[in-house]
Amino acid sequence: MQGLKNPNLMKKRLLLLVLLLVGKLAISQTDIDQILEIGIENAQKFSEGYFDSAGESIVNNMSNGWYSTAKVKPLWDFEVGFVGNLSFVRDEKKSFVLDVNDYENLTFSDGVTRRLVNNAFGVNSEVISVIINEGQASQLEVVLPDGIGNEEINSIPGGFIQASMGLIHSTEIKLRFFPRYAVRENTEVQIYGVAFQHEVTDWLFFMKRWPVKISGLLGY
């Protein structure tokens, strides 16, 4: 259990990523305990490949949908609504190459050194197991977890409550929020964001008369 002082924190972080994956805050086929059984350091390495596509989808969902038009709101105009996003998952994003040479005391049960395994979005065509500390008293065989591929989920939904208001100097502020939600004991999810949109075509008089509006947006 070296490399991380608080294994429970590691487990909660992995769980949070999985819960965010599917938008509905639940996942049925992935058992995080299986990942942790291969050791904390190995689990951290494994999670890089296993959750890589998930992280990409989460980023896409969180960064999209900030605006629907380049025209900013007039001063103090206010709007509140719900913004929904959908990230599609390509087949090649449902697996990654696991090379046991990159891990500590880890081998495949069938003796190969590297193979294509599913990530959180995929499902293995057969049971794939690895052995930790092979030949030692602490030897343990662990079946790699499946993802959600057998549920035929090819897209990941996401959504936020979003409010926007016009400010001075052709600027608009946007706030987005996902309420705090308890998903398991001692585990909660909450998401928030802020962005500023500025209308560039409002700088000069001749630009104001353009039929096309141009804006820049910076969001967190």
Side-chain angles (χ1 to χ4, degrees), residues 76-127:
W76 308 131
D77 268 20
F78 186 81
E79 181 182 55
V80 178
F82 179 81
V83 177
N85 295 316
L86 194 65
S87 294
F88 290 91
V89 184
R90 301 190 304 272
D91 288 340
E92 58 267 28
K93 291 288 187 177
K94 295 181 179 181
S95 59
F96 69 101
V97 175
L98 193 160
D99 190 335
V100 295
N101 295 316
D102 297 330
Y103 294 78
E104 183 178 351
N105 297 323
L106 192 73
T107 58
F108 281 112
S109 58
D110 59 4
V112 300
T113 58
R114 64 196 311 267
R115 71 189 315 160
L116 199 65
V117 300
N118 73 271
N119 60 23
F121 286 139
V123 58
N124 292 317
S125 58
E126 58 182 347
V127 175

Side-chain angles (χ1 to χ4, degrees), residues 158-172:
F160 306 90
I161 298 172
Q162 182 164 307
S164 55
M165 183 175 66
L167 303 178
I168 60 175
H169 302 306
S170 304
T171 301
E172 181 177 320

